[in-house]
Structures are given as C-alpha cells and as structure tokens.
Amino acid sequence: SKYTIAVENPDPLCTGIAIAELDGTSVDPTAIPLVDDGAQHRLRIVFGTPNQKVKGSKSTAPPRASIPS
C-alpha cells in the first residue's frame, strides 16, 4: 500500500489534532488504521483543538482522549 500523508497547521499550534481523515473519512488520530491492501490511501492531519471547525473540512474529529506528551 502507498500512504500519502498531508499535515496542516493553519493556526501555528504545537499540540492537538482537530482532524484526522483517512481517504476522506474521520478516524481516531491515536489509532489510525493501516491496511496492506496494495491500494493508495490519503491521510490528512490538521493540528488544532479537537472538534474545532477547520476551513476546508468535510467532517469533524470524533471525541477522543488526549495524547500524552
């Protein structure tokens, strides 16, 4: 499989993930599913406050536990 990973930081933040999407579908950023199916996939991560509306987003991030630093 090939994964293209895009990381966006529109509000210059150092922590928090507002959006995690795999192939356009919201996923838990602490457990992103990876599949060895030989297909191409796109992972999009946007830094920000969880559940924050982000310009250009088609979805909101699901509620989740904080990521330890």
Side-chain angles (χ1 to χ4, degrees), residues 3-59:
Y3 284 81
T4 301
I5 301 170
V7 178
E8 302 171 27
N9 194 3
D11 298 321
L13 300 173
C14 297
T15 61
I17 298 175
I19 295 173
E21 295 176 340
L22 180 60
D23 299 328
T25 302
S26 290
V27 294
D28 179 350
T30 64
I32 297 169
L34 301 179
V35 182
D36 188 13
D37 60 1
Q40 293 188 1
H41 299 278
R42 178 170 164 74
L43 175 64
R44 178 178 176 234
I45 301 293
V46 181
F47 287 107
T49 304
N51 299 319
Q52 165 187 349
K53 289 271 188 177
V54 176
K55 185 176 180 179
S57 173
K58 297 178 185 173
S59 62

